[in-house]
Amino acid sequence: MTTRRRHRERGRTPSMHIGLIGLGKMGGNMRTRLRDHGVEVTGYDRNPDVSDVGSLQELVDALPSPKVVWVMVPAGDPTRETVRELSGLLGEGDVVVDGGNSRWTDDEKNAELLAEKGIGYVDCGVSGGVWGLENGYALMYGGSDENVAKVQEAFDALKPEGEFGSVHAGKKPGAGHFAKMVHNGIEYAIMQAYAEGWELLEKVDLVDNVTAVFESWREGTVIRSWLLDLLVAALEEDPGLSEIAGYAEDSGEGRWTVEAGIDNAVATPAITAALYARFISRQDDSPAMKAVAAMRNQFGGHAMKTSAPPGGDAAGGGAAEGGAASGSTPGGGGS
């Protein structure tokens, strides 16, 4: 059944027809939500089982002018190559939307490339994950008023119901992705704080039901949030999280946030610490902590899990800096 026929049977005719490239978890769900909200979508994916057309050329040919093509492919080379190919297929007045997790510094280059052909560019940070199909996607987009207006109906279909969840972050290329990057940096810090609190509550033999404590925080507290709701859901499935390895990847946007802070002399200690905690999670045996343990043993005779290096005494009999025994002065046992 065609998209247009589907909407006609529901009693409405789509007023916008958009192309969507990349029909994975996010892109596929976005296609469904757009269609459910009255937007006609022609989707392209390298996987023919989910693609509506067989090539980018076919996708472009299927769209009315001005053509709007939304790109949802992995950031970096895949996105850059897709934009480059579209620059040769689209024409003056058309618009490309990069809705992936591209670094904001790529947006200016993409915009300049497309501008040579009179093609507009909008960058859009998208948040919502697997829940976006049902709840809507938070959208942060950058670009000129003229180009944004050509995409507005799609933005309205994708966003959550209600007043919030969508913002024209700025008119310069990169404004949307920069806002989304900072959003993800904040997300890193919030998740890390919840995780540390959970570990401390579990560690101390005092609280009987840690999951119930977290669940109680979902109402009336200043730290309630959707991330807290998701953590509670995970704890209800696996109270001790015993089925999950203590290993966390990073998508790159946390790193970019920290780098942007450095470049602009803005301190981001909470986000930086959260990012570094993820790095540490990937080590079964931290080389840096080995060095720290060795130094503590050398200057203070602090116990180690291995034999003491030459000059130190893991049993505690060695001398700290200045000749004082470990722990006998503030200088001896501090670190």
Side-chain angles (χ1 to χ4, degrees), residues 79 109 112 200 209 227 257 267 321:
T79 293
K109 300 173 185 176
E112 289 176 353
L200 182 58
N209 191 332
L227 284 173
T257 305
E321 295 176 46

Side-chain angles (χ1 to χ4, degrees), residues 295-303 313 316-321 324-327 332-333:
M295 287 184 284
R296 293 183 75 246
N297 177 259
Q298 285 285 337
F299 73 67
H302 297 290
D313 181 2
E321 295 176 46
S326 173

Side-chain angles (χ1 to χ4, degrees), residues 198-256:
W198 173 76
E199 182 176 1
L200 182 58
L201 285 166
E202 287 284 358
K203 182 71 172 181
V204 178
D205 185 17
L206 186 63
V207 175
D208 294 330
N209 191 332
V210 174
T211 299
V213 170
F214 271 83
E215 188 172 27
S216 75
W217 292 346
R218 296 174 65 186
E219 296 289 347
T221 72
V222 296
I223 62 169
R224 62 190 184 274
S225 73
W226 188 46
L227 284 173
L228 178 61
D229 295 342
L230 296 176
L231 177 56
V232 169
L235 291 172
E236 288 176 341
E237 292 177 5
D238 180 11
L241 301 182
S242 59
E243 300 300 317
I244 301 174
Y247 181 106
E249 286 286 2
D250 67 285
S251 64
E253 289 177 299
R255 302 185 190 208
W256 301 341

Side-chain angles (χ1 to χ4, degrees), residues 16-258:
M16 181 182 188
H17 186 174
I18 190 172
L20 181 60
I21 301 172
L23 302 172
K25 291 180 181 178
M26 284 279 283
N29 282 346
M30 289 170 65
R31 175 174 62 175
T32 300
R33 185 172 176 88
L34 285 165
R35 288 175 173 173
D36 287 347
H37 285 72
V39 176
E40 184 170 0
V41 183
T42 298
Y44 170 73
D45 193 277
R46 289 184 299 177
N47 178 2
D49 293 335
V50 299
S51 189
D52 299 320
V53 291
S55 67
L56 288 183
Q57 181 68 66
E58 288 183 36
L59 178 141
V60 170
D61 290 344
L63 300 176
S65 294
K67 303 176 190 293
V68 177
V69 180
W70 189 303
V71 179
M72 285 296 294
V73 301
D77 288 340
T79 293
R80 287 189 285 266
E81 291 168 6
T82 301
V83 171
R84 189 176 301 111
E85 188 169 354
L86 287 171
S87 71
L89 298 175
L90 296 172
E92 186 172 356
D94 297 336
V95 176
V96 172
V97 182
D98 177 8
N101 281 332
S102 294
R103 186 166 183 159
W104 85 97
T105 50
D106 283 350
D107 292 314
E108 184 175 355
K109 300 173 185 176
N110 289 336
E112 289 176 353
L113 174 67
L114 294 169
E116 294 175 1
K117 305 288 184 67
I119 304 167
Y121 181 79
V122 173
D123 61 286
C124 183
V126 181
S127 179
V130 297
W131 298 91
L133 173 59
E134 178 182 352
N135 299 333
Y137 299 90
L139 307 172
M140 296 142 270
Y141 39 92
S144 70
D145 290 337
E146 179 184 4
N147 289 328
V148 166
K150 294 175 182 177
V151 192
Q152 192 62 57
E153 188 173 342
F155 290 148
D156 292 343
L158 289 169
K159 71 178 288 292
E161 302 295 333
E163 181 180 357
F164 305 112
S166 179
V167 62
H168 186 180
K171 298 181 181 180
K172 295 180 180 179
H177 280 143
F178 192 84
K180 175 60 163 51
M181 178 197 73
V182 174
H183 163 281
N184 280 27
I186 293 170
E187 180 184 301
Y188 275 51
I190 293 173
M191 288 193 292
Q192 185 65 25
Y194 283 141
E196 291 172 6
W198 173 76
E199 182 176 1
L200 182 58
L201 285 166
E202 287 284 358
K203 182 71 172 181
V204 178
D205 185 17
L206 186 63
V207 175
D208 294 330
N209 191 332
V210 174
T211 299
V213 170
F214 271 83
E215 188 172 27
S216 75
W217 292 346
R218 296 174 65 186
E219 296 289 347
T221 72
V222 296
I223 62 169
R224 62 190 184 274
S225 73
W226 188 46
L227 284 173
L228 178 61
D229 295 342
L230 296 176
L231 177 56
V232 169
L235 291 172
E236 288 176 341
E237 292 177 5
D238 180 11
L241 301 182
S242 59
E243 300 300 317
I244 301 174
Y247 181 106
E249 286 286 2
D250 67 285
S251 64
E253 289 177 299
R255 302 185 190 208
W256 301 341
T257 305
V258 172

Side-chain angles (χ1 to χ4, degrees), residues 267-318:
T268 57
I271 296 171
T272 302
L275 174 64
Y276 281 22
R278 296 194 183 193
F279 296 161
I280 293 170
S281 79
R282 302 168 199 168
Q283 298 176 328
D284 293 329
D285 192 10
S286 170
M289 287 302 103
K290 287 183 180 181
V292 169
M295 287 184 284
R296 293 183 75 246
N297 177 259
Q298 285 285 337
F299 73 67
H302 297 290
M304 300 188 302
K305 287 190 175 182
T306 60
S307 58
D313 181 2

